[in-house]
Amino acid sequence: MAVTVLIPTPLRAFAGGREAIELEATSVGDLLERLTSEHAALRRHLFADDGRLRSFVNVYVNDRDIRQLRQHQTPVGPGDTVSIIPSIAGGTAVADALPTLSHEEILRYSRHLILPDVGVAGQRKLKSARVLLVGAGGLGSPAALYLAAAGVGTIGIVDFDVVDQTNLQRQILHGTSQVGVPKLQSAEARLRDINPNVRVETFETRLTSGNALDIIRDFDIVADGTDNFPTRYLVNDACVLLGKPNVYGSIFRFEGQASVFYAKEGPCYRCLYAEPPPPGLVPSCAEGGVLGVLPGIIGSIQALETIKLILGAGDSLIGRLLLFDALKLSFRELKLEKDPDCPVCGPRPTVTALVDYEAFCGVGAEPSYDGLEVTAAELAAEWKRNPDLLVLDVREPHEHEIARIEGAKLIPLSQLPDRLGDLDGHQEIVTHCHHGARSLKALEILKAAGFSKVRSLRGGIDAWSVNVDRGVPRY
Protein backbone atom coordinates (compact mmCIF):
# COMPACT_ATOMS: atom_id res chain seq x y z
CA MET A 1 0.00 0.00 0.00
CA ALA A 2 1.37 3.41 -0.99
CA VAL A 3 0.90 6.95 0.32
CA THR A 4 -2.14 8.70 -1.17
CA VAL A 5 -1.70 12.32 -2.23
CA LEU A 6 -4.95 14.30 -2.61
CA ILE A 7 -4.68 16.89 -5.39
CA PRO A 8 -6.84 20.02 -4.96
CA THR A 9 -9.04 21.12 -7.85
CA PRO A 10 -6.90 24.15 -8.87
CA LEU A 11 -3.83 21.93 -9.27
CA ARG A 12 -5.42 18.96 -11.03
CA ALA A 13 -4.74 20.51 -14.42
CA PHE A 14 -1.03 20.02 -13.69
CA ALA A 15 -1.45 16.41 -12.54
CA GLY A 16 -3.26 14.92 -15.51
CA GLY A 17 -6.67 15.86 -14.08
CA ARG A 18 -6.31 13.32 -11.27
CA GLU A 19 -7.88 13.78 -7.85
CA ALA A 20 -5.52 11.41 -6.05
CA ILE A 21 -2.11 9.93 -6.78
CA GLU A 22 -0.47 7.01 -4.99
CA LEU A 23 3.29 7.09 -4.47
CA GLU A 24 5.93 5.24 -2.51
CA ALA A 25 7.83 7.52 -0.13
CA THR A 26 9.26 7.65 3.40
CA SER A 27 8.99 11.40 4.12
CA VAL A 28 6.97 14.39 2.97
CA GLY A 29 10.01 15.84 1.22
CA ASP A 30 10.61 12.59 -0.62
CA LEU A 31 6.92 12.38 -1.51
CA LEU A 32 6.76 15.91 -2.94
CA GLU A 33 9.95 15.33 -4.91
CA ARG A 34 8.51 12.17 -6.45
CA LEU A 35 5.21 13.93 -7.14
CA THR A 36 6.83 16.86 -8.95
CA SER A 37 9.20 14.57 -10.83
CA GLU A 38 6.23 12.70 -12.26
CA HIS A 39 4.20 15.87 -12.85
CA ALA A 40 6.78 18.53 -13.66
CA ALA A 41 4.21 21.30 -14.12
CA LEU A 42 3.30 21.04 -10.42
CA ARG A 43 6.79 22.03 -9.27
CA ARG A 44 6.53 25.73 -10.01
CA HIS A 45 3.12 25.89 -8.29
CA LEU A 46 4.33 24.16 -5.13
CA PHE A 47 7.90 25.44 -4.80
CA ALA A 48 9.52 28.86 -5.09
CA ASP A 49 12.75 29.39 -7.03
CA ASP A 50 14.81 28.78 -3.88
CA GLY A 51 13.25 25.32 -3.49
CA ARG A 52 11.07 26.22 -0.51
CA LEU A 53 7.40 25.33 -0.33
CA ARG A 54 5.37 28.35 -1.44
CA SER A 55 3.79 30.38 1.33
CA PHE A 56 0.28 29.90 -0.05
CA VAL A 57 0.53 26.08 -0.05
CA ASN A 58 0.10 23.98 3.07
CA VAL A 59 0.64 20.26 3.40
CA TYR A 60 -1.15 17.93 5.82
CA VAL A 61 -0.32 14.34 6.72
CA ASN A 62 -3.64 12.75 7.56
CA ASP A 63 -5.18 15.64 9.55
CA ARG A 64 -2.01 17.32 10.86
CA ASP A 65 -0.16 20.29 9.39
CA ILE A 66 3.48 19.37 8.70
CA ARG A 67 4.52 22.74 10.15
CA GLN A 68 3.49 21.37 13.53
CA LEU A 69 5.36 18.12 12.86
CA ARG A 70 8.81 17.78 11.27
CA GLN A 71 8.00 19.71 8.11
CA HIS A 72 9.68 18.07 5.07
CA GLN A 73 11.22 15.41 7.31
CA THR A 74 7.78 14.31 8.52
CA PRO A 75 7.68 10.54 7.99
CA VAL A 76 4.96 8.97 5.86
CA GLY A 77 4.10 5.35 5.23
CA PRO A 78 1.61 2.99 3.62
CA GLY A 79 -1.97 4.04 4.29
CA ASP A 80 -1.16 7.68 5.04
CA THR A 81 -3.05 10.42 3.21
CA VAL A 82 -1.24 13.62 2.31
CA SER A 83 -3.37 16.65 1.43
CA ILE A 84 -2.08 19.66 -0.48
CA ILE A 85 -4.10 22.70 0.65
CA PRO A 86 -3.62 25.90 -1.35
CA SER A 87 -4.34 29.13 0.46
CA ILE A 88 -6.04 32.07 -1.25
CA ALA A 89 -5.40 34.54 1.60
CA GLY A 90 -3.78 37.83 0.66
CA GLY A 91 -5.18 37.76 -2.86
CA THR A 92 -3.00 34.89 -4.11
CA ALA A 93 -5.21 32.33 -5.81
CA VAL A 94 -3.77 29.07 -7.09
CA ALA A 95 -6.68 28.91 -9.52
CA ASP A 96 -4.94 31.78 -11.30
CA ALA A 97 -1.66 29.87 -11.48
CA LEU A 98 -2.23 28.93 -15.11
CA PRO A 99 -0.59 31.51 -17.34
CA THR A 100 -2.87 34.15 -18.76
CA LEU A 101 -3.33 34.82 -22.46
CA SER A 102 -2.25 38.09 -24.05
CA HIS A 103 -4.47 39.91 -26.53
CA GLU A 104 -2.23 38.64 -29.34
CA GLU A 105 -2.60 35.06 -28.11
CA ILE A 106 -6.37 35.39 -27.84
CA LEU A 107 -6.49 36.42 -31.49
CA ARG A 108 -3.95 33.77 -32.55
CA TYR A 109 -5.79 30.92 -30.81
CA SER A 110 -9.31 32.20 -31.49
CA ARG A 111 -10.35 29.05 -33.36
CA HIS A 112 -9.36 27.03 -30.29
CA LEU A 113 -11.04 29.35 -27.84
CA ILE A 114 -14.47 28.97 -29.43
CA LEU A 115 -14.26 25.17 -29.11
CA PRO A 116 -16.23 24.14 -25.99
CA ASP A 117 -13.69 21.39 -25.19
CA VAL A 118 -10.76 23.83 -25.33
CA GLY A 119 -11.85 27.37 -24.48
CA VAL A 120 -9.72 29.80 -22.51
CA ALA A 121 -9.05 27.27 -19.74
CA GLY A 122 -7.82 24.65 -22.19
CA GLN A 123 -5.61 27.12 -24.05
CA ARG A 124 -4.04 28.15 -20.76
CA LYS A 125 -3.33 24.46 -20.06
CA LEU A 126 -1.60 24.24 -23.43
CA LYS A 127 0.45 27.32 -22.63
CA SER A 128 1.49 25.82 -19.31
CA ALA A 129 2.43 22.42 -20.76
CA ARG A 130 5.94 21.11 -21.34
CA VAL A 131 6.37 18.51 -24.10
CA LEU A 132 9.60 16.75 -25.07
CA LEU A 133 10.12 15.54 -28.64
CA VAL A 134 12.76 12.85 -29.03
CA GLY A 135 13.97 13.43 -32.57
CA ALA A 136 13.50 16.31 -35.03
CA GLY A 137 13.12 14.08 -38.07
CA GLY A 138 10.19 12.59 -39.97
CA LEU A 139 7.84 12.15 -37.00
CA GLY A 140 9.19 14.99 -34.90
CA SER A 141 8.70 17.52 -37.72
CA PRO A 142 4.87 17.52 -37.99
CA ALA A 143 4.51 16.96 -34.25
CA ALA A 144 6.67 19.99 -33.48
CA LEU A 145 4.93 22.19 -36.05
CA TYR A 146 1.42 21.45 -34.81
CA LEU A 147 2.31 21.59 -31.12
CA ALA A 148 3.94 24.98 -31.61
CA ALA A 149 1.01 26.26 -33.67
CA ALA A 150 -1.40 24.98 -31.00
CA GLY A 151 0.36 27.04 -28.33
CA VAL A 152 2.13 24.40 -26.23
CA GLY A 153 4.17 26.65 -23.96
CA THR A 154 7.45 24.76 -23.87
CA ILE A 155 8.69 22.33 -26.50
CA GLY A 156 11.90 20.44 -25.80
CA ILE A 157 13.72 18.68 -28.62
CA VAL A 158 16.47 16.06 -28.38
CA ASP A 159 18.53 15.60 -31.56
CA PHE A 160 22.20 15.57 -32.53
CA ASP A 161 22.01 15.28 -36.33
CA VAL A 162 22.42 17.83 -39.12
CA VAL A 163 19.97 18.45 -41.95
CA ASP A 164 20.76 16.27 -44.97
CA GLN A 165 19.31 16.62 -48.45
CA THR A 166 17.74 13.17 -48.16
CA ASN A 167 15.73 14.45 -45.16
CA LEU A 168 13.79 17.04 -47.14
CA GLN A 169 11.38 14.56 -48.76
CA ARG A 170 9.63 14.02 -45.42
CA GLN A 171 11.15 16.17 -42.64
CA ILE A 172 9.05 19.27 -43.25
CA LEU A 173 10.51 21.12 -40.27
CA HIS A 174 13.63 21.78 -42.37
CA GLY A 175 14.19 23.45 -45.73
CA THR A 176 16.77 23.44 -48.52
CA SER A 177 18.55 26.46 -47.07
CA GLN A 178 19.15 24.51 -43.85
CA VAL A 179 21.10 21.60 -45.39
CA GLY A 180 24.25 21.10 -43.35
CA VAL A 181 22.81 23.02 -40.37
CA PRO A 182 22.17 21.23 -37.04
CA LYS A 183 18.57 20.08 -36.93
CA LEU A 184 18.04 21.74 -33.57
CA GLN A 185 19.09 25.11 -34.97
CA SER A 186 16.81 24.65 -37.97
CA ALA A 187 13.90 23.48 -35.81
CA GLU A 188 14.20 26.28 -33.28
CA ALA A 189 14.18 28.96 -36.00
CA ARG A 190 11.15 27.39 -37.73
CA LEU A 191 9.14 26.98 -34.53
CA ARG A 192 9.86 30.53 -33.39
CA ASP A 193 8.66 31.76 -36.76
CA ILE A 194 5.44 29.75 -36.44
CA ASN A 195 4.79 30.91 -32.89
CA PRO A 196 7.12 33.33 -31.08
CA ASN A 197 5.17 32.70 -27.86
CA VAL A 198 6.55 29.16 -27.61
CA ARG A 199 9.68 28.47 -25.60
CA VAL A 200 11.98 25.98 -27.38
CA GLU A 201 14.49 24.04 -25.26
CA THR A 202 17.12 22.13 -27.22
CA PHE A 203 19.29 19.19 -26.19
CA GLU A 204 21.99 18.60 -28.79
CA THR A 205 22.98 15.15 -27.60
CA ARG A 206 22.23 11.50 -28.08
CA LEU A 207 19.68 10.30 -25.53
CA THR A 208 21.45 7.76 -23.33
CA SER A 209 20.95 5.86 -20.09
CA GLY A 210 23.17 8.46 -18.47
CA ASN A 211 21.13 11.54 -19.39
CA ALA A 212 17.59 10.37 -20.20
CA LEU A 213 16.11 10.70 -16.71
CA ASP A 214 17.56 14.18 -16.21
CA ILE A 215 16.27 15.40 -19.58
CA ILE A 216 12.81 13.82 -19.42
CA ARG A 217 12.14 14.56 -15.74
CA ASP A 218 11.12 18.21 -16.22
CA PHE A 219 8.60 17.54 -19.00
CA ASP A 220 4.96 16.52 -18.74
CA ILE A 221 4.69 14.37 -21.88
CA VAL A 222 7.21 12.71 -24.20
CA ALA A 223 6.58 12.20 -27.93
CA ASP A 224 8.84 9.46 -29.28
CA GLY A 225 10.00 10.06 -32.84
CA THR A 226 13.08 7.85 -32.74
CA ASP A 227 14.25 5.65 -35.60
CA ASN A 228 16.11 2.91 -33.73
CA PHE A 229 15.19 0.26 -31.19
CA PRO A 230 17.74 1.01 -28.43
CA THR A 231 16.44 4.58 -28.07
CA ARG A 232 12.81 3.44 -28.31
CA TYR A 233 13.24 1.04 -25.37
CA LEU A 234 15.23 3.68 -23.48
CA VAL A 235 12.44 6.25 -23.89
CA ASN A 236 9.85 3.70 -22.78
CA ASP A 237 11.72 2.64 -19.66
CA ALA A 238 12.57 6.22 -18.67
CA CYS A 239 8.91 7.25 -19.04
CA VAL A 240 7.76 4.31 -16.92
CA LEU A 241 10.31 5.07 -14.19
CA LEU A 242 9.33 8.76 -14.16
CA GLY A 243 5.59 8.20 -14.57
CA LYS A 244 5.37 10.11 -17.87
CA PRO A 245 3.04 9.43 -20.82
CA ASN A 246 4.93 8.26 -23.93
CA VAL A 247 3.22 9.21 -27.20
CA TYR A 248 4.49 6.60 -29.65
CA GLY A 249 4.74 6.63 -33.43
CA SER A 250 6.62 4.49 -35.93
CA ILE A 251 6.74 4.26 -39.73
CA PHE A 252 8.00 1.92 -42.44
CA ARG A 253 7.48 2.21 -46.18
CA PHE A 254 3.67 2.67 -46.45
CA GLU A 255 2.62 1.67 -42.92
CA GLY A 256 2.55 3.38 -39.55
CA GLN A 257 1.67 2.77 -35.92
CA ALA A 258 0.62 5.06 -33.09
CA SER A 259 -0.29 4.63 -29.44
CA VAL A 260 0.09 6.21 -26.02
CA PHE A 261 2.05 4.18 -23.50
CA TYR A 262 1.32 5.30 -19.95
CA ALA A 263 2.08 2.64 -17.38
CA LYS A 264 -0.09 4.26 -14.70
CA GLU A 265 -3.20 3.79 -16.81
CA GLY A 266 -2.33 1.10 -19.34
CA PRO A 267 0.46 -0.90 -20.99
CA CYS A 268 3.95 0.27 -21.86
CA TYR A 269 5.92 -0.37 -25.03
CA ARG A 270 7.48 -3.51 -23.52
CA CYS A 271 4.00 -4.92 -22.93
CA LEU A 272 3.55 -4.75 -26.70
CA TYR A 273 7.07 -5.76 -27.75
CA ALA A 274 8.83 -7.54 -24.91
CA GLU A 275 12.03 -7.98 -26.93
CA PRO A 276 13.52 -6.13 -29.89
CA PRO A 277 14.02 -7.84 -33.24
CA PRO A 278 17.54 -9.05 -34.06
CA PRO A 279 19.83 -6.30 -35.37
CA GLY A 280 19.38 -5.73 -39.10
CA LEU A 281 16.13 -7.69 -39.38
CA VAL A 282 13.99 -4.55 -39.73
CA PRO A 283 15.47 -2.20 -42.34
CA SER A 284 15.82 1.48 -41.58
CA CYS A 285 14.14 4.14 -43.71
CA ALA A 286 17.49 4.59 -45.46
CA GLU A 287 17.45 0.93 -46.50
CA GLY A 288 13.72 0.19 -46.83
CA GLY A 289 12.40 3.61 -47.79
CA VAL A 290 9.37 5.54 -46.56
CA LEU A 291 6.59 7.43 -48.33
CA GLY A 292 7.24 11.09 -47.56
CA VAL A 293 3.70 11.94 -46.47
CA LEU A 294 3.47 8.96 -44.07
CA PRO A 295 5.40 10.51 -41.14
CA GLY A 296 3.24 13.60 -41.62
CA ILE A 297 0.15 11.52 -40.90
CA ILE A 298 1.58 9.58 -37.95
CA GLY A 299 3.42 12.59 -36.50
CA SER A 300 0.21 14.62 -36.67
CA ILE A 301 -1.58 11.84 -34.77
CA GLN A 302 1.15 12.07 -32.13
CA ALA A 303 0.58 15.83 -31.88
CA LEU A 304 -3.18 15.24 -31.58
CA GLU A 305 -2.78 12.67 -28.79
CA THR A 306 -0.39 14.98 -26.95
CA ILE A 307 -2.86 17.87 -27.10
CA LYS A 308 -5.70 15.62 -25.90
CA LEU A 309 -3.62 14.51 -22.92
CA ILE A 310 -2.89 18.13 -22.00
CA LEU A 311 -6.52 19.14 -22.29
CA GLY A 312 -7.88 15.98 -20.67
CA ALA A 313 -10.26 15.73 -23.62
CA GLY A 314 -11.59 12.75 -25.54
CA ASP A 315 -10.39 9.16 -25.44
CA SER A 316 -6.64 8.76 -25.74
CA LEU A 317 -4.82 5.89 -27.42
CA ILE A 318 -3.82 4.47 -24.03
CA GLY A 319 -4.46 0.73 -24.30
CA ARG A 320 -4.96 0.93 -28.07
CA LEU A 321 -2.61 0.45 -31.01
CA LEU A 322 -3.56 2.30 -34.19
CA LEU A 323 -2.34 0.73 -37.45
CA PHE A 324 -2.34 2.75 -40.67
CA ASP A 325 -1.94 1.40 -44.21
CA ALA A 326 -1.37 4.25 -46.67
CA LEU A 327 -1.83 2.12 -49.79
CA LYS A 328 -5.26 0.93 -48.65
CA LEU A 329 -5.97 4.19 -46.82
CA SER A 330 -7.21 2.14 -43.90
CA PHE A 331 -6.97 2.38 -40.13
CA ARG A 332 -7.19 -0.62 -37.84
CA GLU A 333 -7.23 -0.62 -34.06
CA LEU A 334 -5.96 -3.32 -31.72
CA LYS A 335 -6.65 -3.48 -28.01
CA LEU A 336 -3.54 -3.60 -25.82
CA GLU A 337 -3.37 -5.08 -22.34
CA LYS A 338 -0.79 -4.69 -19.62
CA ASP A 339 1.57 -7.63 -19.44
CA PRO A 340 1.49 -8.92 -15.84
CA ASP A 341 5.03 -10.17 -16.36
CA CYS A 342 6.34 -6.92 -17.87
CA PRO A 343 9.85 -6.38 -16.45
CA VAL A 344 9.34 -2.60 -16.29
CA CYS A 345 5.68 -1.78 -15.52
CA GLY A 346 4.52 -5.12 -14.09
CA PRO A 347 3.75 -5.66 -10.40
CA ARG A 348 7.16 -7.28 -9.86
CA PRO A 349 9.50 -5.23 -12.06
CA THR A 350 13.03 -6.47 -12.62
CA VAL A 351 14.12 -3.37 -14.51
CA THR A 352 14.20 -0.60 -11.92
CA ALA A 353 16.93 1.52 -13.50
CA LEU A 354 18.00 2.31 -17.03
CA VAL A 355 20.21 -0.33 -18.63
CA ASP A 356 22.58 -0.61 -21.60
CA TYR A 357 20.02 -0.50 -24.41
CA GLU A 358 22.45 -1.13 -27.24
CA ALA A 359 23.47 -4.36 -25.51
CA PHE A 360 19.80 -5.17 -24.83
CA CYS A 361 19.01 -4.74 -28.54
CA GLY A 362 22.07 -6.74 -29.61
CA VAL A 363 23.89 -3.77 -31.14
CA GLY A 364 27.57 -4.57 -31.23
CA ALA A 365 26.90 -8.30 -30.94
CA GLU A 366 26.90 -8.76 -34.69
CA PRO A 367 29.54 -11.02 -36.27
CA SER A 368 32.97 -9.48 -36.77
CA TYR A 369 33.79 -8.61 -40.37
CA ASP A 370 37.44 -7.72 -39.86
CA GLY A 371 39.27 -8.14 -43.15
CA LEU A 372 36.04 -8.89 -45.00
CA GLU A 373 35.17 -5.31 -45.93
CA VAL A 374 36.79 -3.13 -48.55
CA THR A 375 36.53 0.63 -49.00
CA ALA A 376 35.33 2.21 -52.24
CA ALA A 377 38.80 3.52 -53.07
CA GLU A 378 40.37 0.12 -52.39
CA LEU A 379 37.78 -1.62 -54.58
CA ALA A 380 38.37 0.82 -57.45
CA ALA A 381 42.12 0.26 -57.37
CA GLU A 382 41.81 -3.53 -57.05
CA TRP A 383 39.19 -3.78 -59.80
CA LYS A 384 41.53 -1.87 -62.10
CA ARG A 385 44.32 -4.37 -61.39
CA ASN A 386 42.00 -7.39 -61.61
CA PRO A 387 39.22 -6.90 -64.19
CA ASP A 388 37.95 -10.43 -63.48
CA LEU A 389 36.88 -9.42 -59.97
CA LEU A 390 33.06 -9.63 -59.70
CA VAL A 391 31.18 -6.77 -58.07
CA LEU A 392 27.84 -8.23 -56.99
CA ASP A 393 24.94 -5.81 -56.53
CA VAL A 394 22.40 -7.28 -54.09
CA ARG A 395 19.93 -4.38 -54.14
CA GLU A 396 16.44 -4.55 -55.61
CA PRO A 397 15.84 -3.93 -59.35
CA HIS A 398 14.08 -0.61 -58.71
CA GLU A 399 17.17 0.60 -56.84
CA HIS A 400 19.37 -0.54 -59.73
CA GLU A 401 17.34 1.78 -61.96
CA ILE A 402 18.17 4.74 -59.71
CA ALA A 403 21.94 4.26 -59.66
CA ARG A 404 24.41 1.51 -60.54
CA ILE A 405 28.11 0.77 -60.54
CA GLU A 406 29.09 0.13 -64.15
CA GLY A 407 30.10 -3.51 -64.63
CA ALA A 408 28.42 -4.84 -61.47
CA LYS A 409 26.19 -7.93 -61.65
CA LEU A 410 22.69 -7.63 -60.15
CA ILE A 411 21.30 -10.47 -58.03
CA PRO A 412 18.84 -9.18 -55.38
CA LEU A 413 19.53 -10.47 -51.87
CA SER A 414 16.14 -12.20 -51.74
CA GLN A 415 17.07 -14.24 -54.84
CA LEU A 416 20.68 -14.97 -53.92
CA PRO A 417 20.17 -18.36 -52.19
CA ASP A 418 18.42 -19.68 -55.31
CA ARG A 419 20.94 -18.27 -57.78
CA LEU A 420 24.24 -19.42 -56.31
CA GLY A 421 24.73 -21.43 -59.50
CA ASP A 422 25.04 -18.17 -61.43
CA LEU A 423 28.32 -17.47 -59.64
CA ASP A 424 31.83 -18.92 -59.91
CA GLY A 425 32.90 -20.26 -56.53
CA HIS A 426 36.57 -19.60 -57.31
CA GLN A 427 36.12 -15.97 -58.40
CA GLU A 428 36.96 -12.93 -56.28
CA ILE A 429 33.60 -11.38 -55.30
CA VAL A 430 32.79 -8.04 -53.64
CA THR A 431 29.14 -7.60 -52.66
CA HIS A 432 27.51 -4.20 -52.45
CA CYS A 433 24.14 -2.65 -51.61
CA HIS A 434 23.00 0.88 -50.72
CA HIS A 435 24.88 1.49 -47.47
CA GLY A 436 26.49 -1.86 -46.64
CA ALA A 437 24.05 -3.75 -44.40
CA ARG A 438 22.50 -6.06 -47.00
CA SER A 439 25.84 -6.75 -48.65
CA LEU A 440 27.13 -8.17 -45.35
CA LYS A 441 24.13 -10.51 -45.27
CA ALA A 442 24.99 -11.54 -48.83
CA LEU A 443 28.56 -12.18 -47.73
CA GLU A 444 27.32 -14.49 -44.97
CA ILE A 445 25.12 -16.41 -47.45
CA LEU A 446 28.02 -16.87 -49.87
CA LYS A 447 30.48 -17.86 -47.14
CA ALA A 448 28.02 -20.45 -45.81
CA ALA A 449 27.68 -21.85 -49.34
CA GLY A 450 31.43 -22.36 -49.65
CA PHE A 451 32.49 -19.19 -51.46
CA SER A 452 35.85 -18.36 -49.91
CA LYS A 453 36.90 -15.20 -51.76
CA VAL A 454 34.10 -12.84 -50.76
CA ARG A 455 34.22 -9.35 -49.31
CA SER A 456 31.73 -6.52 -48.89
CA LEU A 457 31.89 -2.89 -49.99
CA ARG A 458 31.83 -0.76 -46.84
CA GLY A 459 29.29 2.05 -47.20
CA GLY A 460 27.77 0.53 -50.35
CA ILE A 461 27.10 2.39 -53.57
CA ASP A 462 26.71 5.59 -51.56
CA ALA A 463 30.39 5.44 -50.59
CA TRP A 464 31.27 4.66 -54.22
CA SER A 465 29.42 7.79 -55.34
CA VAL A 466 31.11 9.99 -52.75
CA ASN A 467 34.66 8.65 -53.04
CA VAL A 468 35.07 7.18 -56.53
CA ASP A 469 32.49 8.19 -59.13
CA ARG A 470 30.41 11.30 -58.49
CA GLY A 471 28.58 10.57 -61.71
CA VAL A 472 26.67 7.86 -59.83
CA PRO A 473 23.57 9.51 -58.29
CA ARG A 474 23.15 9.38 -54.51
CA TYR A 475 19.77 8.45 -53.11
Side-chain angles (χ1 to χ4, degrees), residues 275-359:
E275 296 181 353
L281 180 64
V282 179
S284 66
C285 289
E287 287 288 340
V290 62
L291 186 68
V293 72
L294 178 64
I297 296 169
I298 300 301
S300 295
I301 290 173
Q302 289 182 275
L304 172 63
E305 287 301 302
T306 299
I307 291 170
K308 286 164 55 183
L309 288 173
I310 295 168
L311 297 176
D315 297 324
S316 78
L317 282 176
I318 295 174
R320 297 185 290 158
L321 178 66
L322 188 67
L323 305 176
F324 175 64
D325 186 327
L327 291 181
K328 296 179 180 178
L329 197 60
S330 68
F331 287 92
R332 288 195 303 129
E333 185 179 301
L334 302 178
K335 185 177 181 180
L336 302 181
E337 300 284 354
K338 284 184 76 75
D339 180 358
D341 297 320
C342 178
V344 181
C345 76
R348 294 172 296 279
T350 56
V351 178
T352 56
L354 300 183
V355 300
D356 183 339
Y357 291 89
E358 292 202 345

Side-chain angles (χ1 to χ4, degrees), residues 146-186:
Y146 276 112
L147 291 174
V152 170
T154 302
I155 297 175
I157 309 175
V158 182
D159 204 296
F160 60 93
D161 204 357
V162 299
V163 180
D164 184 84
Q165 197 161 357
T166 61
N167 301 150
L168 303 182
Q169 161 257 13
R170 64 198 178 282
Q171 299 183 15
I172 57 174
L173 193 56
H174 316 293
T176 303
S177 63
Q178 300 298 309
V179 171
V181 171
K183 286 185 178 179
L184 289 183
Q185 181 180 327
S186 170

Side-chain angles (χ1 to χ4, degrees), residues 417-461:
D418 297 325
R419 295 182 59 183
L420 297 175
D422 294 357
L423 303 173
D424 182 349
H426 302 287
Q427 190 175 16
E428 290 273 358
I429 300 175
V430 175
T431 60
H432 92 79
C433 61
H434 188 190
H435 287 112
R438 284 173 289 173
S439 63
L440 288 173
K441 293 181 180 178
L443 180 147
E444 292 178 359
I445 292 171
L446 293 173
K447 285 284 188 182
F451 290 78
S452 59
K453 301 176 182 179
V454 187
R455 288 167 294 164
S456 171
L457 174 58
R458 182 183 300 140
I461 194 172

Side-chain angles (χ1 to χ4, degrees), residues 46-66:
L46 297 182
F47 295 101
D49 292 339
D50 60 4
R52 296 184 181 182
L53 196 66
R54 291 191 181 276
S55 59
F56 54 80
V57 177
N58 293 328
V59 178
Y60 286 73
V61 175
N62 300 321
D63 59 352
R64 299 194 61 187
D65 190 330
I66 64 169

